[in-house]
Short mmCIF file of all heavy atoms in Angstrom, two decimals:
data_model
loop_
_atom_site.label_atom_id
_atom_site.label_comp_id
_atom_site.label_asym_id
_atom_site.label_seq_id
_atom_site.Cartn_x
_atom_site.Cartn_y
_atom_site.Cartn_z
N MET U 1 105.58 113.72 103.93
CA MET U 1 104.94 112.46 104.29
C MET U 1 105.29 112.10 105.73
O MET U 1 106.44 111.93 106.06
CB MET U 1 105.44 111.32 103.38
CG MET U 1 105.08 111.50 101.94
SD MET U 1 103.31 111.29 101.70
CE MET U 1 103.25 111.15 99.93
N ALA U 2 104.28 112.02 106.54
CA ALA U 2 104.54 111.70 107.94
C ALA U 2 103.35 110.97 108.52
O ALA U 2 102.24 111.03 107.98
CB ALA U 2 104.78 112.98 108.72
N ASP U 3 103.57 110.25 109.60
CA ASP U 3 102.47 109.59 110.29
C ASP U 3 101.52 110.63 110.87
O ASP U 3 101.96 111.64 111.41
CB ASP U 3 103.00 108.71 111.42
CG ASP U 3 103.61 107.42 110.90
OD1 ASP U 3 103.56 107.20 109.67
OD2 ASP U 3 104.12 106.66 111.72
N CYS U 4 100.24 110.36 110.76
CA CYS U 4 99.21 111.26 111.29
C CYS U 4 99.29 111.28 112.82
O CYS U 4 99.50 110.25 113.46
CB CYS U 4 97.85 110.77 110.84
SG CYS U 4 96.48 111.72 111.50
N GLU U 5 99.08 112.45 113.39
CA GLU U 5 99.11 112.55 114.85
C GLU U 5 97.96 111.79 115.51
O GLU U 5 97.98 111.55 116.71
CB GLU U 5 99.09 114.02 115.27
CG GLU U 5 97.78 114.73 114.94
CD GLU U 5 97.83 116.22 115.25
OE1 GLU U 5 98.41 116.96 114.44
OE2 GLU U 5 97.28 116.64 116.28
N CYS U 6 96.95 111.42 114.71
CA CYS U 6 95.79 110.70 115.26
C CYS U 6 95.91 109.18 115.16
O CYS U 6 95.01 108.45 115.58
CB CYS U 6 94.53 111.11 114.51
SG CYS U 6 94.18 112.86 114.58
N LEU U 7 97.00 108.68 114.61
CA LEU U 7 97.14 107.23 114.35
C LEU U 7 96.70 106.36 115.50
O LEU U 7 95.90 105.44 115.33
CB LEU U 7 98.62 106.88 114.07
CG LEU U 7 99.19 106.99 112.66
CD1 LEU U 7 100.53 106.30 112.61
CD2 LEU U 7 98.24 106.44 111.64
N LYS U 8 97.17 106.67 116.68
CA LYS U 8 96.96 105.80 117.84
C LYS U 8 95.48 105.63 118.18
O LYS U 8 95.01 104.52 118.43
CB LYS U 8 97.72 106.35 119.04
CG LYS U 8 98.18 105.29 119.99
CD LYS U 8 99.08 105.86 121.06
CE LYS U 8 99.10 104.91 122.25
NZ LYS U 8 99.47 105.61 123.47
N GLY U 9 94.74 106.72 118.16
CA GLY U 9 93.35 106.64 118.59
C GLY U 9 92.34 106.57 117.46
O GLY U 9 91.14 106.53 117.71
N CYS U 10 92.81 106.56 116.22
CA CYS U 10 91.88 106.64 115.08
C CYS U 10 91.19 105.31 114.82
O CYS U 10 91.85 104.28 114.65
CB CYS U 10 92.64 107.08 113.84
SG CYS U 10 91.56 107.26 112.41
N ILE U 11 89.84 105.33 114.77
CA ILE U 11 89.13 104.06 114.56
C ILE U 11 89.32 103.54 113.15
O ILE U 11 89.25 102.34 112.92
CB ILE U 11 87.62 104.18 114.89
CG1 ILE U 11 86.93 105.23 114.02
CG2 ILE U 11 87.41 104.47 116.37
CD1 ILE U 11 85.41 105.22 114.14
N PHE U 12 89.57 104.43 112.19
CA PHE U 12 89.84 103.94 110.84
C PHE U 12 91.18 103.21 110.81
O PHE U 12 91.27 102.07 110.38
CB PHE U 12 89.86 105.09 109.82
CG PHE U 12 90.25 104.61 108.45
CD1 PHE U 12 89.33 103.98 107.63
CD2 PHE U 12 91.55 104.73 108.01
CE1 PHE U 12 89.70 103.49 106.39
CE2 PHE U 12 91.93 104.25 106.76
CZ PHE U 12 91.01 103.63 105.96
N PHE U 13 92.20 103.88 111.30
CA PHE U 13 93.53 103.28 111.23
C PHE U 13 93.60 101.98 112.02
O PHE U 13 94.32 101.05 111.65
CB PHE U 13 94.59 104.27 111.73
CG PHE U 13 95.99 103.78 111.49
CD1 PHE U 13 96.57 103.89 110.24
CD2 PHE U 13 96.71 103.17 112.50
CE1 PHE U 13 97.84 103.41 109.99
CE2 PHE U 13 97.99 102.68 112.27
CZ PHE U 13 98.55 102.81 111.02
N ASN U 14 92.85 101.91 113.09
CA ASN U 14 92.91 100.72 113.95
C ASN U 14 91.83 99.69 113.61
O ASN U 14 91.46 98.86 114.45
CB ASN U 14 92.86 101.14 115.41
CG ASN U 14 94.14 101.89 115.79
OD1 ASN U 14 95.18 101.29 115.93
ND2 ASN U 14 94.05 103.20 115.92
N ASP U 15 91.34 99.77 112.37
CA ASP U 15 90.44 98.76 111.81
C ASP U 15 89.15 98.56 112.60
O ASP U 15 88.64 97.44 112.69
CB ASP U 15 91.17 97.41 111.65
CG ASP U 15 92.39 97.54 110.76
OD1 ASP U 15 92.32 98.28 109.77
OD2 ASP U 15 93.41 96.89 111.05
N LYS U 16 88.62 99.66 113.12
CA LYS U 16 87.34 99.58 113.82
C LYS U 16 86.18 100.01 112.91
O LYS U 16 85.05 100.06 113.33
CB LYS U 16 87.35 100.48 115.07
CG LYS U 16 88.45 100.16 116.07
CD LYS U 16 88.08 98.97 116.91
CE LYS U 16 88.95 98.83 118.14
NZ LYS U 16 90.39 98.72 117.87
N MET U 17 86.51 100.35 111.67
CA MET U 17 85.48 100.69 110.70
C MET U 17 85.47 99.62 109.61
O MET U 17 86.50 99.05 109.29
CB MET U 17 85.78 102.06 110.06
CG MET U 17 85.64 103.22 111.02
SD MET U 17 86.23 104.80 110.34
CE MET U 17 84.92 105.18 109.16
N LYS U 18 84.27 99.36 109.05
CA LYS U 18 84.18 98.38 107.96
C LYS U 18 85.00 98.85 106.78
O LYS U 18 84.96 100.02 106.42
CB LYS U 18 82.73 98.23 107.53
CG LYS U 18 81.96 97.28 108.38
CD LYS U 18 80.68 96.86 107.69
CE LYS U 18 80.00 95.84 108.58
NZ LYS U 18 78.59 95.80 108.45
N ASN U 19 85.72 97.93 106.18
CA ASN U 19 86.63 98.31 105.11
C ASN U 19 86.86 97.18 104.13
O ASN U 19 86.91 96.03 104.52
CB ASN U 19 88.00 98.63 105.73
CG ASN U 19 88.40 100.04 105.45
OD1 ASN U 19 88.11 100.56 104.39
ND2 ASN U 19 89.05 100.66 106.39
N LYS U 20 86.99 97.55 102.88
CA LYS U 20 87.53 96.58 101.93
C LYS U 20 89.03 96.62 102.14
O LYS U 20 89.64 97.68 102.04
CB LYS U 20 87.17 96.99 100.50
CG LYS U 20 85.70 96.85 100.19
CD LYS U 20 85.52 96.51 98.71
CE LYS U 20 84.12 96.09 98.40
NZ LYS U 20 83.21 97.24 98.21
N GLU U 21 89.59 95.48 102.46
CA GLU U 21 90.97 95.45 102.93
C GLU U 21 91.96 96.23 102.05
O GLU U 21 92.71 97.06 102.54
CB GLU U 21 91.43 94.01 103.06
CG GLU U 21 92.53 93.86 104.08
CD GLU U 21 92.79 92.40 104.38
OE1 GLU U 21 91.89 91.72 104.89
OE2 GLU U 21 93.90 91.96 104.06
N ALA U 22 91.92 95.97 100.75
CA ALA U 22 92.89 96.60 99.85
C ALA U 22 92.71 98.11 99.85
O ALA U 22 93.69 98.85 99.88
CB ALA U 22 92.74 96.05 98.44
N LEU U 23 91.46 98.54 99.83
CA LEU U 23 91.18 99.97 99.81
C LEU U 23 91.64 100.62 101.12
O LEU U 23 92.24 101.70 101.13
CB LEU U 23 89.68 100.20 99.61
CG LEU U 23 89.25 101.56 99.12
CD1 LEU U 23 89.94 101.92 97.80
CD2 LEU U 23 87.74 101.61 98.94
N GLY U 24 91.37 99.93 102.21
CA GLY U 24 91.79 100.46 103.51
C GLY U 24 93.30 100.63 103.57
O GLY U 24 93.80 101.62 104.09
N ASP U 25 94.02 99.69 103.00
CA ASP U 25 95.48 99.77 103.00
C ASP U 25 95.97 100.95 102.17
O ASP U 25 96.93 101.63 102.53
CB ASP U 25 96.09 98.47 102.45
CG ASP U 25 95.98 97.34 103.47
OD1 ASP U 25 95.65 97.62 104.63
OD2 ASP U 25 96.22 96.18 103.08
N ILE U 26 95.27 101.20 101.07
CA ILE U 26 95.65 102.34 100.23
C ILE U 26 95.41 103.64 100.97
O ILE U 26 96.24 104.54 100.97
CB ILE U 26 94.86 102.31 98.89
CG1 ILE U 26 95.34 101.14 98.03
CG2 ILE U 26 95.01 103.62 98.14
CD1 ILE U 26 94.48 100.85 96.83
N TYR U 27 94.26 103.74 101.63
CA TYR U 27 93.97 104.96 102.40
C TYR U 27 94.99 105.16 103.51
O TYR U 27 95.42 106.27 103.77
CB TYR U 27 92.57 104.89 103.01
CG TYR U 27 91.44 105.03 102.03
CD1 TYR U 27 90.13 104.73 102.39
CD2 TYR U 27 91.67 105.47 100.73
CE1 TYR U 27 89.09 104.86 101.49
CE2 TYR U 27 90.63 105.60 99.82
CZ TYR U 27 89.34 105.29 100.21
OH TYR U 27 88.31 105.41 99.34
N LYS U 28 95.34 104.08 104.18
CA LYS U 28 96.33 104.20 105.26
C LYS U 28 97.66 104.71 104.72
O LYS U 28 98.32 105.55 105.33
CB LYS U 28 96.53 102.86 105.95
CG LYS U 28 95.36 102.48 106.85
CD LYS U 28 95.57 101.14 107.49
CE LYS U 28 94.31 100.69 108.20
NZ LYS U 28 94.43 99.36 108.80
N LYS U 29 98.04 104.20 103.55
CA LYS U 29 99.31 104.63 102.95
C LYS U 29 99.21 106.09 102.51
O LYS U 29 100.09 106.90 102.78
CB LYS U 29 99.64 103.74 101.76
CG LYS U 29 100.92 104.08 101.04
CD LYS U 29 101.24 102.97 100.02
CE LYS U 29 102.43 103.34 99.16
NZ LYS U 29 102.08 104.21 98.05
N ASN U 30 98.11 106.43 101.84
CA ASN U 30 97.98 107.77 101.27
C ASN U 30 97.67 108.85 102.30
O ASN U 30 98.16 109.97 102.18
CB ASN U 30 96.89 107.79 100.20
CG ASN U 30 97.30 107.02 98.96
OD1 ASN U 30 98.46 106.65 98.81
ND2 ASN U 30 96.36 106.77 98.08
N TYR U 31 96.86 108.50 103.29
CA TYR U 31 96.44 109.52 104.26
C TYR U 31 97.17 109.36 105.60
O TYR U 31 97.84 110.29 106.05
CB TYR U 31 94.93 109.43 104.52
CG TYR U 31 94.07 109.78 103.33
CD1 TYR U 31 93.32 108.80 102.69
CD2 TYR U 31 93.98 111.08 102.86
CE1 TYR U 31 92.50 109.12 101.61
CE2 TYR U 31 93.18 111.41 101.78
CZ TYR U 31 92.44 110.42 101.15
OH TYR U 31 91.64 110.73 100.09
N CYS U 32 97.02 108.21 106.22
CA CYS U 32 97.52 108.04 107.59
C CYS U 32 99.04 108.14 107.68
O CYS U 32 99.59 108.63 108.66
CB CYS U 32 97.07 106.70 108.16
SG CYS U 32 95.31 106.41 107.97
N ARG U 33 99.71 107.67 106.63
CA ARG U 33 101.16 107.75 106.60
C ARG U 33 101.63 108.62 105.44
O ARG U 33 102.74 108.48 104.95
CB ARG U 33 101.76 106.34 106.49
CG ARG U 33 101.42 105.46 107.69
CD ARG U 33 102.27 104.21 107.70
NE ARG U 33 101.91 103.29 108.76
CZ ARG U 33 102.34 103.41 110.02
NH1 ARG U 33 103.09 104.39 110.37
NH2 ARG U 33 101.97 102.52 110.92
N GLY U 34 100.74 109.50 105.01
CA GLY U 34 101.06 110.38 103.89
C GLY U 34 100.50 111.76 104.09
O GLY U 34 100.90 112.47 105.01
N GLU U 35 99.51 112.09 103.26
CA GLU U 35 98.92 113.44 103.30
C GLU U 35 97.82 113.50 104.37
O GLU U 35 96.63 113.53 104.04
CB GLU U 35 98.36 113.79 101.93
CG GLU U 35 99.41 114.01 100.87
CD GLU U 35 100.29 115.22 101.16
OE1 GLU U 35 99.80 116.18 101.78
OE2 GLU U 35 101.47 115.19 100.79
N ASN U 36 98.20 113.55 105.60
CA ASN U 36 97.24 113.56 106.70
C ASN U 36 96.20 114.67 106.54
O ASN U 36 95.02 114.47 106.77
CB ASN U 36 97.91 113.80 108.06
CG ASN U 36 99.19 113.03 108.26
OD1 ASN U 36 100.08 113.50 108.92
ND2 ASN U 36 99.30 111.84 107.69
N SER U 37 96.66 115.83 106.15
CA SER U 37 95.77 117.00 106.12
C SER U 37 94.68 116.86 105.06
O SER U 37 93.69 117.59 105.10
CB SER U 37 96.57 118.27 105.89
OG SER U 37 97.27 118.19 104.68
N ALA U 38 94.83 115.93 104.11
CA ALA U 38 93.81 115.72 103.09
C ALA U 38 92.75 114.72 103.54
O ALA U 38 91.74 114.52 102.87
CB ALA U 38 94.45 115.23 101.79
N CYS U 39 92.93 114.08 104.67
CA CYS U 39 91.98 113.08 105.18
C CYS U 39 90.74 113.77 105.76
O CYS U 39 90.86 114.71 106.55
CB CYS U 39 92.67 112.24 106.26
SG CYS U 39 91.52 111.23 107.21
N ALA U 40 89.57 113.27 105.37
CA ALA U 40 88.32 113.86 105.85
C ALA U 40 88.23 113.80 107.38
O ALA U 40 87.78 114.76 108.02
CB ALA U 40 87.14 113.14 105.22
N ARG U 41 88.63 112.70 107.96
CA ARG U 41 88.57 112.57 109.43
C ARG U 41 89.51 113.59 110.09
O ARG U 41 89.16 114.22 111.08
CB ARG U 41 88.96 111.15 109.87
CG ARG U 41 88.00 110.07 109.38
CD ARG U 41 88.33 108.70 109.98
NE ARG U 41 88.19 108.67 111.43
CZ ARG U 41 87.02 108.58 112.07
NH1 ARG U 41 85.90 108.45 111.39
NH2 ARG U 41 86.99 108.56 113.38
N PHE U 42 90.67 113.74 109.51
CA PHE U 42 91.65 114.67 110.06
C PHE U 42 91.15 116.11 109.93
O PHE U 42 91.32 116.93 110.83
CB PHE U 42 92.99 114.50 109.35
CG PHE U 42 94.12 115.26 109.98
CD1 PHE U 42 94.78 114.78 111.09
CD2 PHE U 42 94.51 116.49 109.46
CE1 PHE U 42 95.82 115.49 111.68
CE2 PHE U 42 95.55 117.21 110.03
CZ PHE U 42 96.20 116.71 111.13
N MET U 43 90.52 116.42 108.80
CA MET U 43 89.99 117.77 108.56
C MET U 43 88.98 118.15 109.64
O MET U 43 89.03 119.25 110.20
CB MET U 43 89.31 117.83 107.18
CG MET U 43 90.29 117.77 106.01
SD MET U 43 89.46 117.32 104.45
CE MET U 43 88.30 118.66 104.24
N VAL U 44 88.07 117.23 109.95
CA VAL U 44 87.06 117.51 110.97
C VAL U 44 87.73 117.60 112.35
O VAL U 44 87.43 118.50 113.15
CB VAL U 44 85.94 116.45 110.97
CG1 VAL U 44 84.95 116.70 112.10
CG2 VAL U 44 85.23 116.45 109.62
N PHE U 45 88.64 116.71 112.61
CA PHE U 45 89.38 116.72 113.88
C PHE U 45 90.07 118.07 114.10
O PHE U 45 89.97 118.68 115.17
CB PHE U 45 90.41 115.58 113.88
CG PHE U 45 91.51 115.73 114.89
CD1 PHE U 45 91.28 115.51 116.24
CD2 PHE U 45 92.79 116.10 114.48
CE1 PHE U 45 92.32 115.67 117.17
CE2 PHE U 45 93.82 116.26 115.40
CZ PHE U 45 93.57 116.04 116.75
N LYS U 46 90.74 118.56 113.08
CA LYS U 46 91.49 119.81 113.20
C LYS U 46 90.58 121.02 113.38
O LYS U 46 90.90 121.95 114.10
CB LYS U 46 92.36 120.04 111.95
CG LYS U 46 93.72 119.40 112.04
CD LYS U 46 94.54 120.07 113.15
CE LYS U 46 95.90 119.43 113.30
NZ LYS U 46 96.59 119.83 114.52
N ASN U 47 89.43 120.99 112.71
CA ASN U 47 88.54 122.15 112.74
C ASN U 47 87.53 122.13 113.88
O ASN U 47 87.19 123.19 114.42
CB ASN U 47 87.79 122.28 111.41
CG ASN U 47 88.70 122.82 110.31
OD1 ASN U 47 88.91 124.03 110.23
ND2 ASN U 47 89.26 121.94 109.50
N LEU U 48 87.04 120.96 114.21
CA LEU U 48 85.93 120.89 115.17
C LEU U 48 86.27 120.09 116.43
O LEU U 48 85.49 120.07 117.38
CB LEU U 48 84.70 120.26 114.50
CG LEU U 48 84.20 120.94 113.20
CD1 LEU U 48 83.02 120.17 112.63
CD2 LEU U 48 83.80 122.37 113.46
N GLY U 49 87.37 119.39 116.41
CA GLY U 49 87.75 118.60 117.58
C GLY U 49 87.42 117.12 117.41
O GLY U 49 86.60 116.73 116.59
N ARG U 50 88.07 116.32 118.20
CA ARG U 50 87.96 114.86 118.09
C ARG U 50 86.53 114.35 118.25
O ARG U 50 86.09 113.47 117.53
CB ARG U 50 88.86 114.21 119.16
CG ARG U 50 89.02 112.71 119.02
CD ARG U 50 89.97 112.15 120.07
NE ARG U 50 91.34 112.57 119.89
CZ ARG U 50 92.23 111.96 119.10
NH1 ARG U 50 91.88 110.90 118.41
NH2 ARG U 50 93.46 112.39 118.99
N GLU U 51 85.79 114.94 119.17
CA GLU U 51 84.42 114.48 119.44
C GLU U 51 83.49 114.69 118.26
O GLU U 51 82.45 114.04 118.15
CB GLU U 51 83.84 115.21 120.66
CG GLU U 51 84.37 114.71 121.99
CD GLU U 51 85.82 115.14 122.22
OE1 GLU U 51 86.19 116.24 121.74
OE2 GLU U 51 86.57 114.38 122.84
N ALA U 52 83.85 115.61 117.38
CA ALA U 52 82.98 115.96 116.24
C ALA U 52 83.19 115.04 115.04
O ALA U 52 82.45 115.13 114.06
CB ALA U 52 83.23 117.40 115.82
N VAL U 53 84.16 114.14 115.10
CA VAL U 53 84.44 113.28 113.95
C VAL U 53 83.45 112.11 113.94
O VAL U 53 83.48 111.29 114.86
CB VAL U 53 85.89 112.73 113.98
CG1 VAL U 53 86.17 111.91 112.72
CG2 VAL U 53 86.89 113.86 114.11
N PRO U 54 82.56 112.03 112.94
CA PRO U 54 81.58 110.94 112.91
C PRO U 54 82.26 109.58 112.80
O PRO U 54 83.30 109.45 112.14
CB PRO U 54 80.75 111.22 111.64
CG PRO U 54 80.99 112.67 111.35
CD PRO U 54 82.39 112.95 111.81
N CYS U 55 81.64 108.57 113.42
CA CYS U 55 82.29 107.24 113.41
C CYS U 55 82.17 106.57 112.04
O CYS U 55 82.81 105.56 111.79
CB CYS U 55 81.73 106.35 114.51
SG CYS U 55 79.97 106.14 114.43
N ASP U 56 81.34 107.14 111.15
CA ASP U 56 81.22 106.55 109.81
C ASP U 56 81.83 107.45 108.73
O ASP U 56 81.49 107.34 107.56
CB ASP U 56 79.75 106.25 109.49
CG ASP U 56 78.89 107.51 109.50
OD1 ASP U 56 79.37 108.57 109.96
OD2 ASP U 56 77.74 107.43 109.04
N LEU U 57 82.70 108.33 109.13
CA LEU U 57 83.36 109.22 108.16
C LEU U 57 84.68 108.59 107.72
O LEU U 57 85.58 108.36 108.53
CB LEU U 57 83.62 110.60 108.80
CG LEU U 57 84.22 111.66 107.88
CD1 LEU U 57 83.21 112.13 106.85
CD2 LEU U 57 84.76 112.84 108.68
N TYR U 58 84.78 108.32 106.42
CA TYR U 58 85.99 107.69 105.88
C TYR U 58 86.96 108.77 105.37
O TYR U 58 86.55 109.88 105.07
CB TYR U 58 85.63 106.71 104.76
CG TYR U 58 85.05 105.42 105.30
CD1 TYR U 58 83.71 105.33 105.61
CD2 TYR U 58 85.87 104.32 105.53
CE1 TYR U 58 83.18 104.16 106.14
CE2 TYR U 58 85.36 103.15 106.05
CZ TYR U 58 84.01 103.06 106.36
OH TYR U 58 83.50 101.92 106.90
N PRO U 59 88.23 108.42 105.27
CA PRO U 59 89.24 109.41 104.87
C PRO U 59 88.97 110.08 103.53
O PRO U 59 89.39 111.21 103.31
CB PRO U 59 90.53 108.58 104.80
CG PRO U 59 90.30 107.45 105.74
CD PRO U 59 88.84 107.12 105.64
N ASN U 60 88.24 109.42 102.64
CA ASN U 60 88.02 109.99 101.30
C ASN U 60 86.74 110.83 101.23
O ASN U 60 86.38 111.28 100.15
CB ASN U 60 87.95 108.87 100.26
CG ASN U 60 86.78 107.94 100.47
OD1 ASN U 60 86.38 107.68 101.61
ND2 ASN U 60 86.23 107.42 99.40
N MET U 61 86.08 111.04 102.34
CA MET U 61 84.80 111.78 102.33
C MET U 61 85.02 113.27 102.60
O MET U 61 84.43 113.86 103.52
CB MET U 61 83.84 111.18 103.36
CG MET U 61 83.40 109.77 103.02
SD MET U 61 82.30 109.13 104.29
CE MET U 61 81.76 107.59 103.52
N GLN U 62 85.85 113.89 101.77
CA GLN U 62 86.19 115.29 101.99
C GLN U 62 84.98 116.22 101.83
O GLN U 62 84.88 117.23 102.53
CB GLN U 62 87.30 115.72 101.02
CG GLN U 62 88.67 115.16 101.34
CD GLN U 62 88.91 113.79 100.75
OE1 GLN U 62 88.04 113.24 100.07
NE2 GLN U 62 90.08 113.23 100.98
N THR U 63 84.06 115.89 100.92
CA THR U 63 82.90 116.76 100.73
C THR U 63 82.07 116.82 102.01
O THR U 63 81.68 117.89 102.47
CB THR U 63 82.02 116.24 99.56
OG1 THR U 63 82.83 116.20 98.38
CG2 THR U 63 80.83 117.14 99.32
N ARG U 64 81.83 115.66 102.60
CA ARG U 64 81.07 115.63 103.86
C ARG U 64 81.82 116.36 104.97
O ARG U 64 81.22 117.07 105.78
CB ARG U 64 80.80 114.17 104.25
CG ARG U 64 79.88 114.06 105.44
CD ARG U 64 79.49 112.63 105.71
NE ARG U 64 78.89 112.51 107.03
CZ ARG U 64 78.91 111.40 107.76
NH1 ARG U 64 79.45 110.30 107.28
NH2 ARG U 64 78.36 111.38 108.95
N ALA U 65 83.13 116.19 104.98
CA ALA U 65 83.93 116.88 105.99
C ALA U 65 83.77 118.39 105.84
O ALA U 65 83.58 119.11 106.83
CB ALA U 65 85.40 116.48 105.87
N ASN U 66 83.84 118.88 104.61
CA ASN U 66 83.70 120.31 104.37
C ASN U 66 82.32 120.80 104.78
O ASN U 66 82.18 121.91 105.31
CB ASN U 66 83.97 120.64 102.90
CG ASN U 66 85.46 120.68 102.60
OD1 ASN U 66 86.25 121.16 103.41
ND2 ASN U 66 85.86 120.18 101.45
N GLU U 67 81.29 119.99 104.53
CA GLU U 67 79.94 120.37 104.93
C GLU U 67 79.83 120.46 106.45
O GLU U 67 79.22 121.37 107.00
CB GLU U 67 78.92 119.35 104.39
CG GLU U 67 78.71 119.50 102.89
CD GLU U 67 77.94 118.33 102.27
OE1 GLU U 67 77.56 117.38 102.99
OE2 GLU U 67 77.73 118.37 101.05
N LEU U 68 80.42 119.49 107.13
CA LEU U 68 80.39 119.50 108.60
C LEU U 68 81.10 120.75 109.13
O LEU U 68 80.61 121.43 110.03
CB LEU U 68 81.07 118.24 109.15
CG LEU U 68 80.31 116.94 109.01
CD1 LEU U 68 81.23 115.75 109.27
CD2 LEU U 68 79.14 116.90 109.98
N ILE U 69 82.24 121.05 108.54
CA ILE U 69 83.02 122.20 108.99
C ILE U 69 82.26 123.50 108.70
O ILE U 69 82.18 124.39 109.54
CB ILE U 69 84.41 122.20 108.33
CG1 ILE U 69 85.22 120.99 108.82
CG2 ILE U 69 85.15 123.51 108.60
CD1 ILE U 69 86.43 120.64 107.96
N ALA U 70 81.66 123.57 107.52
CA ALA U 70 80.92 124.79 107.13
C ALA U 70 79.69 124.99 108.00
O ALA U 70 79.29 126.12 108.28
CB ALA U 70 80.52 124.70 105.66
N GLY U 71 79.11 123.89 108.46
CA GLY U 71 77.89 123.98 109.25
C GLY U 71 78.12 124.22 110.72
O GLY U 71 77.18 124.33 111.50
N SER U 72 79.36 124.31 111.09
CA SER U 72 79.64 124.45 112.53
C SER U 72 79.44 125.88 113.01
O SER U 72 79.42 126.80 112.24
CB SER U 72 81.08 124.02 112.83
OG SER U 72 81.98 124.89 112.18
S1 SF4 P 101 94.91 110.29 108.42
FE1 SF4 P 101 92.74 110.24 108.94
S2 SF4 P 101 92.16 108.08 109.03
FE2 SF4 P 101 94.40 108.21 109.14
S3 SF4 P 101 94.93 108.21 111.30
FE3 SF4 P 101 94.73 110.34 110.64
S4 SF4 P 101 92.64 110.92 111.07
FE4 SF4 P 101 92.73 108.69 111.10
#
């Protein structure tokens, strides 16, 4: 369990994406300060680079992340 290397610049973590507050807090705990590598945004970042991460991709959207990665 560790802080994600993207914390500082991540629009999800910095509340720039629409969120149900409680759910957002759970994602931050589970992904941003937990299993970073399981986060959909992190997956795309690692595979395709920061510019490739869609601004509407939420941490729990792993299927979409895999599709983006597969289509690259
Ligand atoms: S775990 Fe995902 S949502 Fe959280 S800071 Fe990292 S890239 Fe952003």
Side-chain angles (χ1 to χ4, degrees):
M1 296 290 193
D3 284 357
C4 177
E5 67 185 78
C6 301
L7 273 193
K8 210 172 160 203
C10 182
I11 60 170
F12 175 80
F13 188 79
N14 292 287
D15 301 322
K16 302 281 195 302
M17 291 172 73
K18 276 196 177 152
N19 240 325
K20 290 211 168 82
E21 206 169 297
L23 199 57
D25 286 348
I26 290 169
Y27 288 167
K28 286 178 189 178
K29 180 171 174 278
N30 290 349
Y31 294 111
C32 310
R33 297 193 185 278
E35 291 295 330
N36 317 147
S37 59
C39 167
R41 296 187 63 78
F42 189 81
M43 289 162 61
V44 176
F45 161 74
K46 272 295 178 193
N47 284 280
L48 305 177
R50 189 178 292 274
E51 284 72 32
V53 184
C55 57
D56 61 349
L57 184 71
Y58 284 84
N60 64 326
M61 294 179 172
Q62 288 86 1
T63 301
R64 187 173 166 206
N66 281 321
E67 286 168 0
L68 287 166
I69 294 163
S72 64

